[in-house]
Amino acid sequence: MKKLIVANWKMHGSRPMATDLVRAVAEQADTCAGRVEVVLCPPAIFIHEISELLSRSVVALGGQDCHAEAEGAYTGDISAAMLKEAGCAYVIVGHSERRAAHHEQSGAIRAKAQQAIGQGLVPIICVGEPREIRESGQAVAYVTAQTGASIPSSGDFVLAYEPVWAIGTGLTPTSEDICDMHAQLKQLVPSTRVLYGGSVNAANASGILALPSVDGALVGGASLKAEAFGNIIRAAE
Ligand code: PGA
């Protein structure tokens, strides 16, 4: 199966930076077209313009979050339908930074995923354990319970296993720990793509992506550098 490589820009970038980075990524991704699927998730304000830049590219777009309701009095929020209209095919929901800073619970994330599916988007649902849970040996039980509570009852979605302690830290789980977790998740949601995220970079991508249960990667920091992200795309081929 084709690997899926998703860039999560988080709250980084500017219009000039976005334009340069998107051009470079599109060039790399189009060279690997048919062998790797690439999705960029920039800050929402850049999506429309980037969508035009990507009109002749295989690179797809995603949002970083959406609201669980279709529309309404939710100042500052963005709906799944708006993301779709701006050119998105995907949306990240339940990222650990939102679970922590915006107190998002798994039930709310499930509702966002359901809303996204209803609007024709594929939600990328993030799950992962904090450091103390990993150290206590309860990571698999914690993540499978979190997954069960976060996934919608029907529709196509992608799961991203992102240990909280691995995000932006340069730390990654062992290959064995990644395989263990992915095997459990695949048992829970057969035929769903399961990505790994957390400190994926140009140096470790080929090792992580070679693991048979890893269907792709969700990349934060390294997705902001054209060369590093290009290497990750090539590693996924
Ligand atoms: P990182 O972030 O690659 O910078 O660790 C991954 C993520 O938060 O999705």
Side-chain angles (χ1 to χ4, degrees):
M1 198 164 59
K2 256 195 301 191
K3 304 266 184 192
L4 173 61
I5 305 297
V6 182
N8 176 10
W9 288 11
K10 310 192 180 186
M11 199 174 72
H12 292 291
S14 61
R15 288 178 71 206
M17 169 272 192
T19 311
D20 289 350
L21 182 55
V22 167
R23 288 214 174 97
V25 170
E27 203 175 295
Q28 186 59 60
D30 292 343
T31 314
C32 306
R35 299 186 297 280
V36 185
E37 190 181 344
V38 178
V39 179
L40 298 183
C41 301
I45 196 159
F46 301 135
I47 289 172
H48 192 259
E49 190 170 341
I50 293 178
S51 165
E52 284 173 3
L53 282 175
L54 289 174
S55 62
R56 283 190 300 278
S57 167
V58 295
V59 176
L61 276 170
Q64 296 179 7
D65 179 52
C66 69
H67 200 278
E69 297 297 331
E71 62 175 340
Y74 303 107
T75 303
D77 279 315
I78 289 176
S79 74
M82 292 168 190
L83 291 173
K84 178 80 182 173
E85 190 179 41
C88 290
Y90 290 86
V91 60
I92 297 169
V93 295
H95 191 282
S96 62
E97 286 154 12
R98 294 200 61 90
R99 287 183 190 258
H102 297 262
H103 313 291
E104 292 188 6
Q105 305 287 322
S106 295
I109 288 153
R110 173 199 299 245
K112 288 179 180 213
Q114 203 75 67
Q115 178 64 232
I117 290 167
Q119 299 298 336
L121 296 172
V122 177
I124 300 166
I125 304 170
C126 301
V127 293
E129 81 286 357
R131 187 168 46 85
E132 57 279 12
I133 300 285
R134 168 59 64 183
E135 285 169 355
S136 73
Q138 299 301 307
V140 168
Y142 179 96
V143 174
T144 48
Q146 191 186 43
T147 302
S150 303
I151 58 174
S153 50
S154 62
D156 186 27
F157 62 91
V158 172
L159 207 55
Y161 168 52
E162 296 205 304
V164 178
W165 52 272
I167 293 175
T169 58
L171 303 171
T172 53
T174 62
S175 299
E176 199 187 351
D177 285 343
I178 295 176
C179 287
D180 265 7
M181 186 65 78
H182 279 230
Q184 295 296 324
L185 293 173
K186 280 177 173 283
Q187 221 169 57
L188 194 67
V189 285
S191 76
T192 295
R193 288 177 288 179
V194 183
L195 313 182
Y196 169 78
S199 294
V200 174
N201 58 40
N204 63 21
S206 52
I208 292 171
L209 291 165
L211 302 172
S213 57
V214 173
D215 299 313
L218 179 50
V219 186
S223 74
L224 295 165
K225 298 175 212 118
E227 196 186 336
F229 195 60
N231 285 333
I232 294 170
I233 295 171
R234 273 195 298 279
E237 271 197 286

